[in-house]
Amino acid sequence: MADTQPQVAVLLAAYNGMRWIEEQIASILTQGQVDVRIYISVDPSNDGTEAWCARCAEMHANVELLPAAGPFGGAARNFFRLIRDVDFSAFDYVAFSDQDDIWYPDKLHRAVTTLKSGRIDGYSSNVIAFWPDGRRMLVDKAQPQVKWDYLFEAAGPGCTYVLTLKMANKFRDFVVKHWENIQGVTLHDWLCYAFARSAGFTWNIDPIPSMDYRQHTENQVGVNSGLQSAIRRVKKMTDGWWLGQVRRISNLTAGLGSQSISDRPQVTGRRAIAALGIQSRQCRRRSRDQVIFAVFCIVAAACLK
């Protein structure tokens, strides 16, 4: 390419985002030392998001609104649509974006520099969560990766993910091949990280925050902070959702790369779930989460029929 700056395709999934999307896109368009093109897919909204995005695309040559294809019913399916339908061939890197955050000016440059420097295929980072009342908190996801963490958690917020073109293309092939089955995956970032690690790609979790991560009542996931958030997450673990997602993601990514299926933990059956509790240090990155994971597995195993 004549332009020597790295070319980055930014995939942005939107839904009823009028309160925040203008600030989000402005922070992407002002990224330093990279060239960006934003691809927006809007889940049918009732607050004018589609019309605003269409006007934004008319005003900016490097913003494109994809044709309507929803409803998706959640961010994951919207992102899968973006991954399938956007042509990455003219780019060096692919990044994911939410509709309501604020990227720091060097977010993509720092990611690209990391990917170039260490033969890394996938990048994510810590973030600073912020609330309407002015509270701010570091969300630390940069603990050392462990043997099986990718089967049980993402590599941090998906809005920090940046992939090399090679990995993005392989992930797209995977998404297309398993299109029907991945529709049952609720968290696209978890699946992306599981695919990367299962297929032998290398991943770096940067301890330096790259963005302000907005917290509000419409967050699909959000930060695990406070009593209500903890209760919500415990409920997901105990109502079968979490274990169902673990099994689906494990089945989808089994046998990728040079990894043997026998090298992966079993996630079905009382004995297998109890064994996971014993091996919790290989299943979650953070010490606190390892303890919670072990307790959950022991309780879940006792409750299984």
Side-chain angles (χ1 to χ4, degrees):
M1 301 177 190
D3 194 329
T4 59
Q5 291 201 129
Q7 307 292 306
V8 185
V10 178
L11 311 184
L12 192 157
Y15 172 69
N16 280 344
M18 278 305 301
R19 281 173 286 179
W20 319 286
I21 195 168
E22 184 173 3
E23 189 172 19
Q24 169 75 89
I25 288 180
S27 73
I28 299 172
L29 292 176
T30 55
Q31 290 293 297
Q33 302 183 67
V34 296
D35 287 337
V36 300
R37 184 172 181 86
I38 306 172
Y39 294 89
I40 308 172
S41 175
V42 181
D43 206 343
S45 302
N46 56 23
D47 69 343
T49 298
E50 292 103 326
W52 186 90
C53 290
R55 292 193 298 272
C56 183
E58 290 176 355
M59 293 172 58
H60 299 280
N62 58 340
V63 176
E64 180 175 334
L65 175 63
L66 272 62
F72 302 106
R77 290 184 178 183
N78 202 349
F79 273 107
F80 294 145
R81 179 272 172 110
L82 282 159
I83 292 161
R84 181 191 64 183
D85 292 352
V86 172
D87 181 3
F88 306 147
S89 60
F91 298 93
D92 304 303
Y93 303 94
V94 177
F96 298 166
S97 173
D98 289 347
Q99 64 181 357
D100 50 6
D101 304 317
I102 304 170
W103 287 13
Y104 300 160
D106 65 344
K107 177 186 186 296
L108 290 179
H109 174 64
R110 182 175 179 83
V112 167
T113 300
T114 301
L115 291 167
K116 282 183 175 180
S117 65
R119 296 182 180 178
I120 305 297
D121 303 298
Y123 170 97
S124 58
S125 76
N126 286 345
V127 297
I128 300 294
F130 72 106
W131 285 261
D133 62 6
R135 284 184 298 142
R136 296 176 65 82
M137 182 185 77
L138 172 68
V139 181
D140 185 6
K141 296 292 185 178
Q143 301 82 17
Q145 296 167 67
V146 295
K147 187 175 182 180
W148 296 318
D149 69 305
Y150 59 92
L151 295 177
F152 303 99
E153 60 179 327
C159 44
T160 68
Y161 284 21
V162 183
L163 316 177
T164 61
L165 178 61
K166 178 181 178 181
M167 183 184 154
N169 280 330
K170 292 293 186 180
F171 187 49
R172 174 205 262 158
D173 292 343
F174 170 82
V175 165
V176 171
K177 180 179 179 180
H178 299 282
W179 184 253
E180 295 301 325
N181 285 333
I182 67 167
Q183 301 309 306
V185 174
T186 307
L187 301 175
H188 63 285
D189 47 2
W190 183 0
L191 180 63
C192 182
Y193 180 53
F195 166 82
R197 292 280 304 277
S198 298
F201 289 104
T202 54
W203 196 285
N204 178 269
I205 306 176
D206 192 345
I208 304 299
S210 65
M211 50 174 269
D212 285 347
Y213 186 43
R214 192 185 305 270
Q215 300 300 295
H216 51 79
T217 56
E218 284 78 26
N219 279 117
Q220 185 171 346
V221 179
V223 173
N224 188 12
S225 174
L227 180 60
Q228 288 187 340
S229 177
I231 291 172
R232 183 169 63 249
R233 289 175 184 254
V234 168
K235 183 178 179 181
K236 282 188 174 183
M237 292 184 74
T238 55
D239 67 5
W241 171 86
W242 181 79
L243 194 53
Q245 290 292 297
V246 168
R247 288 169 176 159
R248 182 179 293 271
I249 289 172
S250 180
N251 289 337
L252 280 165
T253 58
L256 292 174
S258 60
Q259 186 183 64
S260 169
I261 295 177
S262 63
D263 291 335
R264 300 161 71 98
Q266 296 297 309
V267 294
T268 302
R270 179 178 294 178
R271 290 185 178 180
I273 299 302
L276 287 176
I278 297 171
Q279 301 174 87
S280 64
R281 290 186 177 181
Q282 299 298 325
C283 299
R284 297 296 295 254
R285 295 188 298 273
R286 186 164 57 174
S287 298
R288 186 192 73 179
D289 293 343
Q290 292 169 3
V291 174
I292 296 171
F293 181 88
V295 172
F296 166 77
C297 288
I298 292 169
V299 173
C303 295
L304 286 175
K305 295 181 179 180

